[in-house]
Amino acid sequence: IPQVEVDPNNGKIVYVLLPNRIIYRSSNGGESWNPANQGLKFTKEVHALKIDPKDTMTLYAGGANGIFRTVNAGKNWRSRRCGCYFWSFAINPGDSREVFGVGEGALKSTDSGASWQWFTPHPFLSGILLGVSVHPLNPHIVFVGGFGGGIFRSIDSGRSWETVNEKLDSLNVVRLAADPSHSGRFFAVGGQQAFESRDGGVSWDLLLKGQVSTFWISDLAIHPKDSNLIAVAGYRKKSSGAISLSNDGGKTWQMKSPYPGVNYGCSHCVVFDPVNPQIIYLAPFLKQDQRSLPQGIAKTKDQGKTWKLINKGIVDKDIWTIAVHPANTNLLLAGTGGGKLYRSENGGDSW
């Protein structure tokens, strides 16, 4: 699955991590690409790519061969030896010298990735850690989660940790998200459930009350300007409805698509237009004879009342991730399970 990082200061600079362990860089918004992997010696799978939001010349890559860092926009990379298997990075939004990473355990750097330290005492003794999140309003609060261990929280930037699994009935956590408007509110996705916490992650409660029995959940999106607008995407076994949508912060929900589901484990397969809350993009599939048939990309302009497939130019419809440019919302990127990247300049009318 391609991983895409866009320079927050220059939307024409885009990095893509492909399954063949090569990173490509575009300086013209994806019209052309050049390899940016000199010194990037991944001989096994690679999972993570992250750009420093303050110093955009610095990027991190991680996987089965540990951590690599570039300080010159991908011209060359150096290994930061850690003897670790890496899945995900998170950067302190207030001080980008502080970087967290998780995989088979958790690490932290306080010098922009030049050196790394394991968290001690080591609290992550069970399970594989897949996600890490630093709160955007209070960067001292850090969450990590994964398969088998549930969720761990630190309120002192990783110096100490506690397990925060109260009322969390699944310890296989695949998504963590913070409410961009409320420092005490968090969301987690695990198995058939989506959960929310309103006390800083101390305890959790079901988010999708009454809708979970036949709903495998893969992804969760919060509108960046209205945190009452939440979308949860997954697979509904007995009916259509790949999306459940709430306009009141999760108090009530409505099924909002004619498609039964999205790929299990997909990332950003339901995405809001950051400017127009009526527009949502989805990467759905249909079921036929027990097979999943990818449908490419669907778009709604009325918050899910009606949907239209927008696949002009898309040949490989197995879409796993979608990105919308935060300022120029007509510019879209979409990545497939086979390693293809599609680009649209007109809101998905053509690719």
Side-chain angles (χ1 to χ4, degrees):
I1 305 168
Q3 298 203 13
V4 181
E5 285 287 296
V6 180
D7 187 320
N9 300 324
N10 183 351
K12 292 186 176 181
I13 298 177
V14 186
Y15 299 87
V16 177
L17 172 63
L18 296 185
N20 60 3
R21 302 183 292 274
I22 295 177
I23 293 174
Y24 288 88
R25 182 181 187 270
S26 174
S27 59
N28 53 19
E31 292 184 10
S32 61
W33 299 87
N34 292 300
N37 61 313
Q38 181 69 34
L40 192 66
K41 299 177 180 179
F42 278 107
T43 60
K44 301 177 182 178
E45 62 265 30
V46 54
H47 301 289
L49 179 65
K50 193 74 173 178
I51 188 170
D52 186 323
K54 297 293 180 65
D55 177 9
T56 56
M57 300 291 283
T58 298
L59 292 92
Y60 305 91
N65 294 104
I67 305 168
F68 287 79
R69 180 184 72 152
T70 177
V71 295
N72 53 18
K75 291 181 179 178
N76 54 65
W77 296 77
R78 290 188 177 182
S79 173
R80 318 314 300 177
R81 300 186 183 278
C82 64
C84 55
Y85 192 114
F86 239 67
W87 277 95
S88 183
F89 294 102
I91 298 175
N92 183 334
D95 181 0
S96 66
R97 294 173 299 177
E98 189 172 76
V99 186
F100 297 86
V102 296
E104 293 179 340
L107 299 95
K108 175 183 176 181
S109 173
T110 57
D111 53 14
S112 300
S115 61
W116 295 83
Q117 300 82 39
W118 291 97
F119 290 129
T120 51
H122 199 298
F124 316 109
L125 297 179
S126 62
I128 300 296
L129 300 175
L130 300 179
V132 55
S133 179
V134 180
H135 197 279
L137 301 180
N138 184 353
H140 295 298
I141 300 176
V142 185
F143 288 87
V144 299
F147 284 142
I151 299 175
F152 299 87
R153 182 184 73 155
S154 173
I155 59 174
D156 54 14
S157 300
R159 294 182 182 88
S160 60
W161 294 83
E162 60 180 335
T163 304
V164 285
N165 293 330
E166 183 180 340
K167 296 183 181 179
L168 194 72
D169 67 356
S170 173
L171 298 183
N172 296 330
V173 177
V174 296
R175 292 285 180 273
L176 291 171
D179 187 322
S181 303
H182 302 90
S183 61
R185 193 179 189 205
F186 296 87
F187 302 92
V189 172
Q192 291 179 278
Q193 312 282 15
F195 304 90
E196 70 167 335
S197 172
R198 293 179 176 269
D199 56 10
V202 175
S203 62
W204 300 83
D205 198 3
L206 287 177
L207 182 63
L208 282 149
K209 294 181 176 68
Q211 294 201 43
V212 298
S213 60
T214 60
F215 197 36
W216 285 97
I217 297 173
S218 291
D219 203 10
L220 181 146
I222 310 162
H223 196 279
K225 294 183 178 180
D226 180 7
S227 61
N228 284 318
L229 182 56
I230 306 169
V232 174
Y235 168 45
R236 195 175 298 277
K237 296 179 181 179
K238 297 181 180 180
S239 65
S240 296
I243 288 183
S244 287
L245 191 70
S246 175
N247 283 286
D248 54 16
K251 295 177 183 177
T252 60
W253 296 86
Q254 290 182 311
M255 291 183 289
K256 287 290 186 176
S257 92
Y259 310 100
V262 297
N263 287 315
Y264 184 71
C266 63
S267 176
H268 302 292
C269 50
V270 56
V271 181
F272 287 111
D273 182 304
V275 175
N276 185 347
Q278 295 293 316
I279 296 176
I280 309 172
Y281 297 92
L282 180 70
F285 64 71
L286 293 177
K287 277 290 187 180
Q288 185 178 79
D289 299 328
Q290 303 301 314
R291 294 184 301 136
S292 297
L293 301 179
Q295 298 298 296
I297 301 174
K299 179 179 181 179
T300 176
K301 296 181 180 180
D302 52 19
Q303 275 194 13
K305 293 178 182 177
T306 59
W307 291 85
K308 180 182 178 181
L309 291 174
I310 51 169
N311 293 327
K312 185 179 179 180
I314 293 180
V315 178
D316 182 355
K317 296 181 181 179
D318 186 25
I319 304 296
W320 281 71
T321 186
I322 304 168
V324 183
H325 193 284
N328 176 15
T329 57
N330 282 319
L331 180 58
L332 311 175
L333 295 172
T336 75
K340 292 183 175 65
L341 184 70
Y342 290 98
R343 178 178 184 266
S344 174
E345 296 181 335
N346 51 22
D349 290 341
S350 61
W351 297 83

